[in-house]
């Protein structure tokens, strides 16, 4: 997997907030709408336990049809997901999409049914060598990041029907986080006192101001992206020994016994190379926004 370092700022500037008054989430309920203008949806599958079945192939340009017909690749990617995340933790994932991300967008999730079910979408071009699908642990990190959104924003965590005005906890855009959710104490720990400092179109500014608060620069985008990044590191890396706010955010997840169990169950399947690569930071190869991730060029 190539590493991209140089144009770090450019994709970050592209993103906007994921709140409902912005474009992405608002459009997410539209079946045919794509999460980004610059991706092409290839194939949509229904998910039933460990199995996926074809719902449809989207109409695509001739140049992309070879990726659409390559169902064995689609299944390779799906099997990576189900090998990594045990079935009992995947009950909210009801659709799986393969898209072409133009070497840019790597994955995203879209909520359906008031946060009760989700579509997981992965870019077929994110993995360049399918014989070595997770060479540096990046694909593991990508899948865990996207899963982290579903884990922290589903209907057991966030009330979709509640409006921002009546929300007394934290409102990530999808609804109001419950008092006992993962996101609300996470917000209180690392965001409540700086939320007004957030520059929606420039998370780097917040990261540079408070670097010890974030596990990656992209985590400074908003609390929902931050917790997805933290979930990824919580699972992939050893428990931190430091006490920075970034460390405390990871340690916070250890306060939830079910997350500790989830971590242990998933880590059995996390490739050794990914766990060994303790210095891995998602920011170094891709960055994520509005429930999606893209490669850094
Ligand atoms: Zn994300």
């Amino acid at each position: 997997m190539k590493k991209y370092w140089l144009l770090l700022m450019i994709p970050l500037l592209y993103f906007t907030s994921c709140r409902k008054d912005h474009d992405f989430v608002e459009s997410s309920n539209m079946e045919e709408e794509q999460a980004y203008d610059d991706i092409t949806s290839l194939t949509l599958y229904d998910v039933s336990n460990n199995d996926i079945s074809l719902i449809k192939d989207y109409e695509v340009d001739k140049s992309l049809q070879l990726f659409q017909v390559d169902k064995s690749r689609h299944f390779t990617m799906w099997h990576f997901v189900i090998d990594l995340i045990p079935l009992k933790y995947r009950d909210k994932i009801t659709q799986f999409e393969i898209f072409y991300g133009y070497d840019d967008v790597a994955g995203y999730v879209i909520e359906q049914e008031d946060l009760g079910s989700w579509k997981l979408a992965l870019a077929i071009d994110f993995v360049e060598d399918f014989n070595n699908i997770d060479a540096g642990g990046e694909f593991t990190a990508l899948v865990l990041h996207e899963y982290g959104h579903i884990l922290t924003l589903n209907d057991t965590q966030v009330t979709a029907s509640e409006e921002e005005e009546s929300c007394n906890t934290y409102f990530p855009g999808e609804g109001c986080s419950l008092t006992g959710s993962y996101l609300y104490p996470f917000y209180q720990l690392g965001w409540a006192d700086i939320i007004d400092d957030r520059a929606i179109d420039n998370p780097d500014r917040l990261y540079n101001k408070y670097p010890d608060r974030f596990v990656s620069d992209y985590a400074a985008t908003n609390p929902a992206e931050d917790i997805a990044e933290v979930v990824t590191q919580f699972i992939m890396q050893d428990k931190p020994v430091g006490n920075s706010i970034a460390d405390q955010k990871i340690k916070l997840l250890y306060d939830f016994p079910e997350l500790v169990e989830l971590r242990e169950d998933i880590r059995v399947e996390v490739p050794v190379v990914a766990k060994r690569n303790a210095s891995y930071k998602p920011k170094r190869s891709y960055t994520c926004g509005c429930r999606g991730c893209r490669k850094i060029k």
Side-chain angles (χ1 to χ4, degrees):
M1 184 67 68
K2 282 181 281 187
K3 298 283 185 187
Y4 301 99
W5 299 90
L6 294 178
L7 299 178
L8 182 65
M9 288 296 292
I10 291 175
L12 291 178
L13 289 171
Y14 176 85
F15 294 117
T16 60
S17 160
C18 295
R19 300 172 77 95
K20 272 190 172 165
D21 54 358
H22 289 79
D23 53 351
F24 176 79
V25 173
E26 197 144 84
S27 67
S28 67
N29 289 328
M30 299 178 197
E31 176 69 18
E32 297 296 327
E33 190 111 2
Q34 297 192 140
Y36 292 95
D37 291 339
D38 50 357
I39 70 155
T40 298
S41 297
L42 297 174
T43 303
L44 181 65
Y45 293 95
D46 179 66
V47 173
S48 176
N49 296 321
N50 286 332
D51 299 322
I52 53 173
S53 54
L54 182 70
I55 294 177
K56 65 177 171 181
D57 283 328
Y58 292 88
E59 282 206 19
V60 299
D61 198 77
K62 232 179 181 163
S63 62
L64 294 179
Q65 285 175 359
L66 75 158
F67 296 103
Q68 188 176 59
V69 300
D70 192 355
K71 299 295 192 278
S72 69
R73 280 193 182 208
H74 302 183
F75 277 79
T76 299
M77 294 166 74
W78 173 248
H79 276 276
F80 189 94
V81 173
I82 68 173
D83 287 345
L84 184 65
I85 303 169
L87 176 60
K88 67 176 180 177
Y89 301 117
R90 278 187 272 114
D91 60 321
K92 301 291 183 190
I93 303 174
T94 55
Q95 288 188 338
F96 179 61
E97 181 187 291
I98 298 291
F99 67 92
Y100 193 84
Y102 299 93
D103 212 21
D104 193 2
V105 180
Y108 65 89
V109 294
I110 288 184
E111 55 110 340
Q112 294 157 327
E113 296 177 15
D114 285 344
L115 310 175
S117 64
W118 292 73
K119 175 165 81 176
L120 169 66
L122 298 173
I124 196 166
D125 49 325
F126 182 68
V127 180
E128 292 156 3
D129 176 6
F130 270 76
N131 293 320
N132 198 5
I133 190 169
D134 196 38
E138 287 91 348
F139 201 65
T140 295
L142 169 67
V143 172
L144 292 178
H145 175 99
E146 300 304 339
Y147 179 71
H149 284 311
I150 298 171
L151 181 71
T152 56
L153 292 171
N154 71 64
D155 59 347
T156 69
Q157 300 288 313
V158 172
T159 305
S161 57
E162 192 162 342
E163 297 295 326
E164 184 168 13
E165 294 71 34
S166 60
C167 180
N168 294 318
T169 56
Y170 172 64
F171 193 89
E174 285 79 0
C176 186
S177 55
L178 295 166
T179 309
S181 66
Y182 309 131
L183 188 56
Y184 182 48
F186 185 91
Y187 166 80
Q188 288 177 303
L189 170 66
W191 278 90
D193 59 330
I194 61 168
I195 194 74
D196 293 335
D197 234 359
R198 185 170 65 109
I200 287 171
D201 58 351
N202 186 7
D204 248 15
R205 194 179 66 78
L206 197 63
Y207 177 74
N208 291 332
K209 194 169 176 183
Y210 307 103
D212 70 331
R213 284 188 178 232
F214 301 104
V215 298
S216 69
D217 50 4
Y218 190 69
T221 302
N222 61 45
E225 292 299 337
D226 190 6
I227 200 169
E229 293 281 85
V230 167
V231 165
T232 304
Q233 300 222 0
F234 166 71
I235 294 170
M236 290 181 70
Q237 299 191 2
D238 293 334
K239 190 173 182 178
V241 292
N243 206 35
S244 67
I245 292 181
D247 290 334
Q248 290 180 45
K249 286 175 176 172
I250 298 173
K251 288 177 178 175
L252 174 71
L253 301 187
Y254 283 89
D255 292 342
F256 297 91
E258 73 278 14
L259 291 185
V260 174
E261 187 180 333
L262 173 146
R263 176 181 184 270
E264 288 168 1
D265 288 347
I266 293 179
R267 275 177 71 85
V268 172
E269 303 299 340
V270 170
V272 173
V273 63
K275 283 191 283 198
R276 193 192 300 138
N277 190 0
S279 63
Y280 172 76
K281 290 278 197 294
K283 66 179 178 180
R284 291 180 183 166
S285 59
Y286 71 95
T287 187
C288 305
C290 293
R291 316 295 178 255
C293 301
R294 63 180 57 211
K295 277 185 166 181
I296 296 168
K297 294 178 180 173

